[in-house]
Amino acid sequence: MNIRYQITGWTLLLTLVWCLLQGRLGVGSGVLGVLIAYAIALWLTAHAPRRRLRIGILLRLALRVACDIVISNLVVARQVLFQARRLRPAWIDLPLQLPDDARVIALATIVSLTPGTLAVDVCEKDGRRYLRIHALDAPEPDAVAAGIRERYEALLLDLLK
């Protein structure tokens, strides 16, 4: 992909995020957002390894996360309202296979956005990196870890080629 298109894409995306975070769009705020977004886009394209982003996988991941957030909201609401005494919270150490910090941060964000789970720390034990997760209800912590690995980490591994 041409570097000019990458810079333009990043600038547009970051400007959109800036506008959403501002809550309102004024001329000064918009110009400042474009300037900041352009500077960040230049920095990102200069320092990023040259890999291709697989848009199909990104869309699949985004759709999966959006659906999981809605479903998890309903499940957690039901658990808190009707099964609060039967909840079995657990700490889970998920061994990471992700090769770079950007994807680890993405996974931690996805886990934290999904109600019922919270990514707390990235730690290292025995030369491996782990994502420490707190789950609201995890009768089988290994099954929760396997679900996160299959649903999100696998897609994040395939995202950049």
Side-chain angles (χ1 to χ4, degrees), residues 104-127:
V104 171
I105 292 168
L107 180 62
T109 302
I110 290 168
V111 167
S112 295
L113 284 174
T114 308
T117 55
L118 178 67
V120 178
D121 190 20
V122 176
C123 53
E124 192 167 322
K125 292 190 293 190
D126 305 326

Side-chain angles (χ1 to χ4, degrees), residues 80-135:
V80 169
L81 292 174
F82 303 112
Q83 301 170 345
R85 294 181 185 218
R86 289 186 260 158
L87 292 177
R88 289 169 280 186
W91 289 100
I92 301 165
D93 285 336
L94 176 70
L96 294 171
Q97 299 172 351
L98 299 171
D100 52 43
D101 290 341
R103 288 187 264 191
V104 171
I105 292 168
L107 180 62
T109 302
I110 290 168
V111 167
S112 295
L113 284 174
T114 308
T117 55
L118 178 67
V120 178
D121 190 20
V122 176
C123 53
E124 192 167 322
K125 292 190 293 190
D126 305 326
R128 288 195 69 183
R129 291 193 321 171
Y130 291 83
L131 181 63
R132 177 154 296 160
I133 300 168
H134 183 269

Side-chain angles (χ1 to χ4, degrees), residues 2-155:
N2 189 334
I3 192 92
R4 187 177 339 155
Y5 293 123
Q6 286 182 353
I7 292 172
T8 303
W10 278 113
T11 302
L12 291 173
L13 177 67
L14 293 170
T15 301
L16 176 66
V17 170
W18 173 268
C19 292
L20 290 173
L21 290 173
Q22 291 298 313
R24 60 184 165 82
L25 183 60
V27 174
S29 176
V31 170
L32 182 62
V34 169
L35 292 175
I36 290 172
Y38 184 72
I40 292 172
L42 285 175
W43 183 83
L44 284 173
T45 54
H47 293 88
R50 301 291 177 227
R51 289 180 273 176
R52 289 184 47 151
L53 177 66
R54 298 173 68 191
I55 300 298
I57 291 178
L58 179 63
L59 292 174
R60 210 165 92 203
L61 178 64
L63 183 62
R64 179 172 289 173
V65 170
C67 290
D68 286 354
I69 287 173
V70 171
I71 292 168
S72 294
N73 269 299
L74 298 172
V75 169
V76 168
R78 186 193 70 213
Q79 289 173 330
V80 169
L81 292 174
F82 303 112
Q83 301 170 345
R85 294 181 185 218
R86 289 186 260 158
L87 292 177
R88 289 169 280 186
W91 289 100
I92 301 165
D93 285 336
L94 176 70
L96 294 171
Q97 299 172 351
L98 299 171
D100 52 43
D101 290 341
R103 288 187 264 191
V104 171
I105 292 168
L107 180 62
T109 302
I110 290 168
V111 167
S112 295
L113 284 174
T114 308
T117 55
L118 178 67
V120 178
D121 190 20
V122 176
C123 53
E124 192 167 322
K125 292 190 293 190
D126 305 326
R128 288 195 69 183
R129 291 193 321 171
Y130 291 83
L131 181 63
R132 177 154 296 160
I133 300 168
H134 183 269
L136 178 66
D137 187 32
E140 298 178 23
D142 291 336
V144 173
I148 292 170
R149 189 175 300 112
E150 291 169 12
R151 294 193 63 76
Y152 308 122
E153 190 178 29
L155 289 174

